[in-house]
Amino acid sequence: MKKIFLIVLLSSLFFNTVNSQTTTVWNGKVVLECFWWDYWNNNYPDGWSNYLADLAPRLKQMGIDAVWIPPFIKNGASSSDGYAPFDHYDLGDKYQKGNTGTRVGNKDELLRLIAVMHANGIEVIDDIVLNHMDAAGSSTGAGGQDPNALDDNTTSKYKNFRYTCYATPATDESFNDYTSRQGRWSANWTNFYPNQYNNHFNTTVIDQVMFGPDISYENSAYGGSSNALYNPVQDSVYMRANARHWLVWQKKQTGVDGFRFDAGKNYPQYTIQDILWNAKYNAGWANGGQQLFAVGEYIGSASEMDSWINSVNTSNSGTENMIGTFDFSLRQEIKNMVSGNGNYDLSNIPGAQQSNRYRTVPFVNNHDTYRPIKDTSGNITGWDTGNEIGGHIDAADGRLSAAYAIAFAVDGAPQVFFEDLFNVESTGKRYSHLPTSTTDLPVNTDIANIIACHQQLQFKKGTYKVRWQAPDLLIIERGYNAGPENSYAIIGITDNWTTWQNALVQTDFGPNVQLHDYSGANTADIYTDANGMANINVPPCNGSNTRKGYCIWGKANSAIAMNSPINSVTQEWEMAQDLGDSHPNSLQQGGELPAASTAYRYVGEIFSDANKLITLNLYPTSSGNNVTLELRDHSGVLLQTVADTGTLQLTYMPPNIGFYTIYIKNTNAANTNQRVYVKSNYTAPMVANTIQYPSTPVIFTSVSNMANQQNNNILIYPTIVSTTATVKFTTLKVEKVKISLLSIQGEELQILFNGITSGGTQEIIFENPNLANGIYIVKMQTADKTVFNKFAIIKE
């Protein structure tokens, strides 16, 4: 198509207005929301962590700085997207609600995801949900209801929250079982609206009951349950203090780099300030510091968002800029631009941003604005507009690229939405693609180009100036007047469908400087004139050019390489009785070191690259006890060990990529019990190849669906065997049963029982004098069912 240029005379004084804004160097991260609503992939069932780990190298190549991942704490059902929290301390490692993992995966897979992202130079933003809880009760609902609770007309008084842990694993899912559980951060009806001191609900956004019991963070929201068997004493700041302690614990345990606060207006600003300050400055080695990424979801006008930010910042006598918001004000104007079909006035854009942009996050779409109706292949057939916040901007719209050019040109850390960057909408492979395949999962090349220009030209390093604003043309310059060069980039944007736009604008590049269009829309370089002015040409949105509705000019040959550093990760396990889980169907991690015993405690797994140093540190709470710290491979073979009193350090250089397991035990049987902390620092491989490196043996992929049933069941305890163990199996009828011992490869090594049972529970004493250290399987087979369980043999 022949280019038609609209020449607008420079003498038009209105368009010569220069608007200078400020930002911060660290506030320019490109953040990818790494999921869509009801995210799923059939190649990674309940394993989104593995999906994202395999996607990571592609994100690094595109220049993504950080990924916003979905909430990964245990919900009432593994099918949940994560926004209905049940147990904040369950990261997919406890067996409760009939599952161990979550939709994101199990805890080992989650920690691997964060490590792999770090290895690719990408930070991880954790999605925090603190305004409500959900699904009180055991897997059958038993124990969740408190008959004395004040009713909120929504949750039927299901407000007893009790959790499994190492000391109290799930047994029969009964009322007594559930209400006796002693996992950390129990909650009662007194901790929610309405309660005895705050007898109100649905009066403001703070006490609104929407997705489960709504948490009350007031100092008067405390007290006991009327019917739970385990009923710890609460003080006046119980919920607020527990939220604070949990966020610090989670930052240490996972190694995440920042937080996104869901529904920020729905709980008090002083709570957000409190827990964020502690994550920044009271988390010890894990302190996030002043630059910790933090953004809140606050849906409102620019002035309302600014007021909320100020309220958070000044709560509890605070003075620091703690948090930003997603810029819904700017997003509304971007939406108006796309919906205007060429009739929108682009000169409205610069004045649309919120005023407090210190930590602002401009965006085009997210999982709340974008709710398509899909067919069985995942292709879009319509829109669930009733559940969209602010309405969607169709990823197939020709003005999407112009929308993203705006979001990247203005102040803030731009957020990219998964469905905008990747096409999962029309390929028929939304649920079946491989994330490593550029054919299965194609990229929107315009948005990828905008990201690359942002990174290669560094045009978020300083201020921006509006060089031109007219109904069909917006030109923004990213510059840094005090630096070695005065300008980094000029971004031209139009919403015109068919006609090129053009303007001669002043720049800070200086006179006679060669400029290159890094978008590729203009193939020929241009030069600034003697006064530093440049003629900027912007293509239309109809796809007649390589780019749709934008161009990005920078100094020729000035682009830098996008070389993200390879970063290690640090993660810490707190070994305590009220954390982890000892149930055979859990990951069996956690537990303090027991008194008068040398029994092992399983800490967890790390996923290390080959020839990258692993460093483990153990911090005891009883310095006089002699403790042993061990590192083993995924099959249980001992690789390195250290034993002593006080703080321990173990280092190991792994020869191979893979999972490595951490164990601890008392060296002396005379030791007292104690809580310990185990910190790991390691570097994951950039390419995870998660299918080749499963976090648990492949044979156990169906255990959560089979062996957890209360009908035909087999258990072995202890799960770490040194000499003898007890095999316990249950049947409900007279039938033939075979109990076998298998190697990790599934080879039958020994028959422990083969005969007729009369129903009920039986026990077998198992001795293992001739078996080497490693992981083994105990198998129970009947005429209509086969179930498995795993255990480790670790001899002294």
Side-chain angles (χ1 to χ4, degrees):
M1 178 181 291
K2 182 179 180 180
K3 296 182 181 178
I4 304 173
F5 295 98
L6 176 64
I7 306 296
V8 184
L9 295 178
L10 187 64
S11 59
S12 178
L13 296 178
F14 173 76
F15 299 126
N16 277 327
T17 302
V18 175
N19 297 314
S20 192
Q21 309 291 348
T22 60
T23 185
T24 53
V25 173
W26 57 269
N27 196 22
K29 292 183 175 72
V30 177
V31 179
L32 174 67
E33 181 181 9
C34 269
F35 60 102
W36 64 86
W37 189 248
D38 288 335
Y39 62 91
W40 188 260
N41 187 289
N42 292 331
N43 299 303
Y44 300 85
D46 288 330
W48 200 247
S49 286
N50 297 332
Y51 174 93
L52 294 181
D54 286 339
L55 180 64
R58 292 185 67 185
L59 303 184
K60 173 187 173 67
Q61 185 180 38
M62 284 189 278
I64 299 297
D65 292 309
V67 290
W68 158 21
I69 64 175
F72 45 69
I73 61 177
K74 181 66 62 66
N75 282 208
S78 62
S79 59
S80 172
D81 271 16
Y83 293 95
F86 170 67
D87 183 357
H88 287 81
Y89 282 97
D90 186 347
L91 305 184
D93 58 313
K94 301 185 187 183
Y95 175 65
Q96 50 188 350
K97 291 294 182 180
N99 294 284
T100 297
T102 69
R103 192 169 187 145
V104 172
N106 67 40
K107 180 179 177 180
D108 295 336
E109 293 165 337
L110 169 68
L111 299 186
R112 171 170 61 183
L113 162 65
I114 296 167
V116 169
M117 286 294 176
H118 278 211
N120 283 276
I122 300 171
E123 296 184 351
V124 177
I125 310 303
D126 179 12
D127 202 329
I128 303 296
V129 185
L130 283 174
N131 62 308
H132 65 274
M133 297 167 71
D134 195 24
S138 72
S139 61
T140 66
Q145 190 176 47
D146 188 333
N148 286 5
L150 295 179
D151 200 355
D152 58 22
N153 298 329
T154 304
T155 59
S156 302
K157 302 185 180 182
Y158 275 84
K159 297 183 178 183
N160 276 337
F161 286 87
R162 297 295 185 270
Y163 307 120
T164 61
C165 60
Y166 199 86
T168 55
T171 55
D172 58 5
E173 303 293 329
S174 66
F175 173 91
N176 286 352
D177 167 33
Y178 176 78
T179 61
S180 298
R181 297 174 185 175
Q182 298 178 19
R184 194 171 295 184
W185 201 359
S186 298
N188 305 317
W189 70 271
T190 52
N191 307 131
F192 303 95
Y193 295 106
N195 56 56
Q196 71 273 41
Y197 300 112
N198 303 294
N199 189 6
H200 54 85
F201 60 96
N202 291 340
T203 61
T204 68
V205 291
I206 296 293
D207 67 358
Q208 190 172 8
V209 181
M210 292 187 294
F211 307 109
D214 194 69
I215 296 174
S216 175
Y217 285 102
E218 285 86 350
N219 288 353
S220 52
Y222 67 99
S225 166
S226 73
N227 60 343
L229 299 179
Y230 173 67
N231 219 350
V233 175
Q234 298 187 0
D235 60 16
S236 60
V237 293
Y238 181 78
M239 292 303 281
R240 178 172 163 182
N242 270 280
R244 177 197 312 147
H245 297 154
W246 167 73
L247 196 70
V248 169
W249 170 87
Q250 181 153 288
K251 191 172 189 310
K252 289 182 174 182
Q253 172 65 93
T254 63
V256 294
D257 306 283
F259 304 105
R260 180 259 185 188
F261 288 86
D262 183 65
K265 68 168 64 175
N266 290 90
Y267 52 104
Q269 288 82 46
Y270 58 75
T271 301
I272 297 178
Q273 195 277 343
D274 182 336
I275 63 177
L276 259 181
W277 189 92
N278 278 275
K280 287 185 172 191
Y281 304 113
N282 198 30
W285 64 264
N287 279 345
Q290 193 267 343
Q291 294 193 9
L292 177 73
F293 186 94
V295 61
E297 179 194 38
Y298 188 100
I299 303 162
S301 66
S303 61
E304 289 172 331
M305 290 185 293
D306 290 342
S307 177
W308 181 82
I309 291 171
N310 183 66
S311 181
V312 173
N313 293 344
T314 58
S315 292
N316 309 311
S317 301
T319 58
E320 181 180 320
N321 276 287
M322 301 293 294
I323 195 169
T325 56
F326 293 97
D327 197 338
F328 274 90
S329 175
L330 174 67
R331 198 269 172 179
Q332 184 58 56
E333 287 303 311
I334 292 175
K335 174 69 166 62
N336 293 342
M337 181 270 290
V338 176
S339 301
N341 294 317
N343 297 313
Y344 177 78
D345 187 347
L346 279 170
S347 64
N348 293 330
I349 290 293
Q353 270 204 289
Q354 62 186 119
S355 297
N356 188 329
R357 303 200 286 275
Y358 191 71
R359 296 177 181 271
T360 189
V361 177
F363 73 105
V364 175
N365 278 316
N366 65 30
H367 70 279
D368 283 322
T369 70
Y370 205 85
R371 297 288 180 90
I373 298 171
K374 305 176 285 289
D375 62 21
T376 55
S377 297
N379 294 333
I380 294 178
T381 60
W383 298 95
D384 182 11
T385 55
N387 285 310
E388 290 181 341
I389 298 174
H392 65 274
I393 297 174
D394 195 331
D397 195 294
R399 294 182 174 86
L400 182 76
S401 303
Y404 269 93
I406 292 171
F408 274 69
V410 299
D411 279 331
Q415 175 241 299
V416 180
F417 181 49
F418 190 97
E419 290 199 59
D420 291 340
L421 180 59
F422 295 105
N423 181 10
V424 292
E425 305 185 333
S426 59
T427 62
K429 293 186 176 182
R430 177 187 291 265
Y431 306 118
S432 60
H433 68 267
L434 290 175
T436 53
S437 169
T438 57
T439 302
D440 280 5
L441 187 64
V443 171
N444 182 318
T445 56
D446 276 8
I447 298 175
N449 171 255
I450 293 170
I451 296 170
C453 289
H454 168 278
Q455 304 294 48
Q456 293 172 336
L457 298 179
Q458 307 177 80
F459 62 75
K460 280 296 183 75
K461 284 186 73 172
T463 62
Y464 83 79
K465 294 181 178 180
V466 179
R467 291 300 194 179
W468 198 273
Q469 51 189 131
D472 274 0
L473 181 61
L474 178 66
I475 299 177
I476 292 174
E477 182 176 21
R478 301 299 314 194
Y480 189 62
N481 290 325
E485 50 186 317
N486 290 328
S487 185
Y488 291 102
I490 291 178
I491 303 97
I493 301 152
T494 184
D495 64 343
N496 193 289
W497 190 251
T498 58
T499 306
W500 280 72
Q501 304 296 303
N502 171 275
L504 181 65
V505 300
Q506 182 64 53
T507 79
D508 286 333
F509 279 109
N512 306 312
V513 174
Q514 183 180 357
L515 301 182
H516 178 75
D517 183 359
Y518 287 87
S519 75
N522 296 274
T523 56
D525 287 0
I526 61 174
Y527 286 81
T528 60
D529 65 15
N531 297 311
M533 302 181 75
N535 202 346
I536 302 303
N537 301 316
V538 188
C541 297
N542 62 359
S544 57
N545 183 263
T546 301
R547 302 299 175 206
K548 298 177 182 178
Y550 79 97
C551 62
I552 301 175
W553 296 84
K555 190 175 180 180
N557 303 313
S558 65
I560 64 171
M562 296 188 296
N563 292 325
S564 302
I566 299 174
N567 295 322
S568 64
V569 69
T570 303
Q571 296 161 337
E572 181 181 88
W573 289 260
E574 179 183 352
M575 302 296 290
Q577 292 296 90
D578 61 348
L579 295 174
D581 193 355
S582 57
H583 193 283
N585 293 335
S586 74
L587 295 189
Q588 301 174 46
Q589 298 175 4
E592 66 181 19
L593 287 175
S597 172
T598 58
Y600 277 93
R601 291 292 181 263
Y602 178 36
V603 178
E605 291 191 323
I606 59 176
F607 186 69
S608 178
D609 198 359
N611 303 312
K612 297 289 178 64
L613 186 67
I614 296 172
T615 301
L616 304 180
N617 294 99
L618 183 146
Y619 303 95
T621 54
S622 299
S623 59
N625 287 352
N626 194 299
V627 176
T628 298
L629 173 65
E630 295 182 352
L631 183 69
R632 295 174 177 267
D633 69 13
H634 208 210
S635 298
V637 176
L638 181 64
L639 303 172
Q640 189 67 277
T641 183
V642 61
D644 207 339
T645 58
T647 301
L648 306 181
Q649 183 175 86
L650 179 155
T651 59
Y652 180 73
M653 188 71 73
N656 303 304
I657 294 173
F659 275 108
Y660 293 86
T661 57
I662 307 168
Y663 291 89
I664 58 173
K665 66 173 182 174
N666 284 317
T667 310
N668 302 321
N671 283 357
T672 58
N673 64 299
Q674 66 164 323
R675 180 178 307 191
V676 299
Y677 299 82
V678 179
K679 183 173 70 173
S680 67
N681 179 267
Y682 63 100
T683 304
M686 294 172 60
V687 179
N689 198 359
T690 61
I691 294 176
Q692 182 178 341
Y693 299 101
S695 65
T696 54
V698 175
I699 195 167
F700 297 111
T701 56
S702 63
V703 166
S704 62
N705 296 321
M706 297 171 61
N708 59 24
Q709 299 179 46
Q710 296 302 315
N711 297 335
N712 288 18
N713 191 345
I714 187 165
L715 308 175
I716 184 167
Y717 57 92
T719 53
I720 302 175
V721 180
S722 59
T723 55
T724 63
T726 300
V727 178
K728 182 177 180 180
F729 64 96
T730 302
T731 61
L732 296 183
K733 61 183 180 180
V734 175
E735 59 183 327
K736 184 176 181 180
V737 177
K738 180 181 179 181
I739 308 294
S740 304
L741 176 68
L742 311 180
S743 70
I744 194 62
Q745 291 79 24
E747 176 188 3
E748 185 175 86
L749 303 176
Q750 186 177 346
I751 297 175
L752 304 178
F753 178 87
N754 190 9
I756 304 296
T757 67
S758 57
T761 299
Q762 298 187 44
E763 293 185 352
I764 304 169
I765 302 300
F766 160 64
E767 295 182 336
N768 63 320
N770 298 320
L771 295 176
N773 288 354
I775 305 296
Y776 293 87
I777 302 161
V778 62
K779 171 184 175 183
M780 171 180 172
Q781 186 173 7
T782 64
D784 56 1
K785 188 170 296 184
T786 301
V787 293
F788 304 91
N789 225 312
K790 64 176 179 178
F791 66 99
I793 293 178
I794 300 178
K795 298 177 182 179
E796 298 293 334

